[in-house]
Structure formats: C-alpha cells, structure tokens
C-alpha cells in the first residue's frame, strides 16, 4: 500500500496514461497499463479518486482498449481488473456505467469463455455494479445473471 501511494505521488499515473495513449494499438502495453492502473487503484480509495481525476480519459481509455483489443484475452482480463478496482468507488462506478462499461465486461466474458481469470474478474466487476441500486437494471437487462451462472458452471 505504501508503494501505491509513492508511485501516485511521484506522477506514476501520468506516466502510465502517457504510454497507453501513445501506444493505443499495442495490446501488451494496454494490458500492462491496465494492470498498473488496477494495482494502483486496488484497496486505495484515495488513489482511485486520483486515477479518475488524472484526466477524464482514464475511463474512456480503459473502455476503448476493451473495444480495440476485444480478441486479446490478456487485455480483457486486465481491463476487467481495472474496472473492478475502480468501480468500488461509487462516483467512478457511475462514470464507467455511463460509458458502457457493464456491456463491455459482459462482452469480454462472452468472447473468452475459456479464460477462467477473466471470468472471475468479470463476475466480480458485475457484482460491484449489481450491488448499486442505480445500476441493477442496467446489469440485469444485459443478461449478466446467465453469464455469471455460465461462468460458475464452466469453471467450478
């Protein structure tokens, strides 16, 4: 946790964002960038807010990469992890939902049924959204219940 705070304090968010923006077409950079975002945001509410405020483009960048690299399971896995770790913050969750993040998580899960880690992270992210009454209809209307049950059966 101390390293999370130090990295953010030293401008690490901007460095990761810059690399991801410069190399949007490079799947591995996108995957590792999202892994870094997820790790910096994990269990640290202050960092979650700083990441979300580092530029409105963070959420858009995460979701754009989900769209651009839909076929890459590693990118999708780390994107789901970033969505999960950022969505625990209610304000950030609302932004992610408004930008179509729920549907992108479901689509990643549909496209990569064999990828157990992605299914686990996708289920966890959907669970965060489902726990918020503002997003329950969005989640349930997108078929998440069947997706979660299918993932549980497949990877039990």
């Amino acid at each position: 946790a101390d390293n999370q705070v130090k990295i953010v304090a030293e401008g690490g968010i901007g460095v990761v964002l810059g690399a991801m923006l410069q190399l949007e077409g490079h799947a591995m950079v996108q995957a590792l960038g999202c892994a870094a975002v997820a790790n910096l945001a994990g269990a640290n509410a202050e960092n979650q807010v700083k990441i979300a405020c580092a530029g409105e483009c963070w959420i858009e960048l995460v979701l754009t990469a989900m769209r651009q690299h839909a076929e890459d399971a590693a990118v999708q896995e780390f994107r789901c992890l970033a969505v999960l770790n950022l969505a625990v913050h209610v304000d950030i969750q609302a932004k992610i939902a408004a930008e179509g993040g729920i549907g992108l998580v479901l689509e990643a899960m549909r496209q990569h049924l064999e990828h157990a880690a992605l299914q686990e992270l996708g289920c966890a992210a959907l669970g965060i959204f489902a726990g918020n009454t503002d997003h329950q209809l969005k989640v349930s209307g997108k078929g998440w219940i069947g997706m979660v049950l299918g993932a549980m059966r497949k990877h039990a």
Side-chain angles (χ1 to χ4, degrees):
D2 288 342
N3 287 338
Q4 287 174 312
V5 173
K6 288 178 186 176
I7 291 168
V8 170
E10 293 294 324
I13 294 169
V15 172
V16 173
L17 176 60
M20 291 175 72
L21 285 170
Q22 280 187 330
L23 300 165
E24 284 186 51
H26 195 283
M28 186 57 71
V29 171
Q30 298 303 308
L32 295 176
C34 254
V37 170
N39 287 330
L40 292 173
N44 189 316
E46 187 175 323
N47 277 1
Q48 291 161 5
V49 171
K50 287 180 181 178
I51 289 167
C53 294
E56 287 300 315
C57 58
W58 262 115
I59 294 167
E60 182 181 328
L61 183 61
V62 168
L63 300 178
T64 295
M66 286 185 89
R67 291 178 188 101
Q68 289 179 347
H69 301 284
E71 74 292 339
D72 191 308
V75 172
Q76 298 303 313
E77 176 184 343
F78 290 121
R79 295 295 179 200
C80 285
L81 179 60
V83 167
L84 169 64
N85 285 354
L86 289 169
V88 296
H89 192 283
V90 174
D91 293 336
I92 300 169
Q93 183 185 115
K95 291 179 185 178
I96 293 170
E99 294 291 328
I102 295 169
L104 288 170
V105 169
L106 281 166
E107 189 56 34
M109 292 175 70
R110 282 188 189 105
Q111 287 188 3
H112 302 284
L113 294 171
E114 301 298 321
H115 197 288
L118 187 152
Q119 297 297 316
E120 179 181 353
L121 293 169
C123 286
L126 293 173
I128 294 290
F129 288 103
N132 183 326
T133 55
D134 292 337
H135 305 300
Q136 287 173 350
L137 289 177
K138 291 178 189 172
V139 175
S140 65
K142 294 189 180 289
W144 77 275
I145 296 170
M147 183 61 60
V148 169
L149 292 175
M152 290 172 67
R153 287 184 194 104
K154 178 86 175 157
H155 300 287

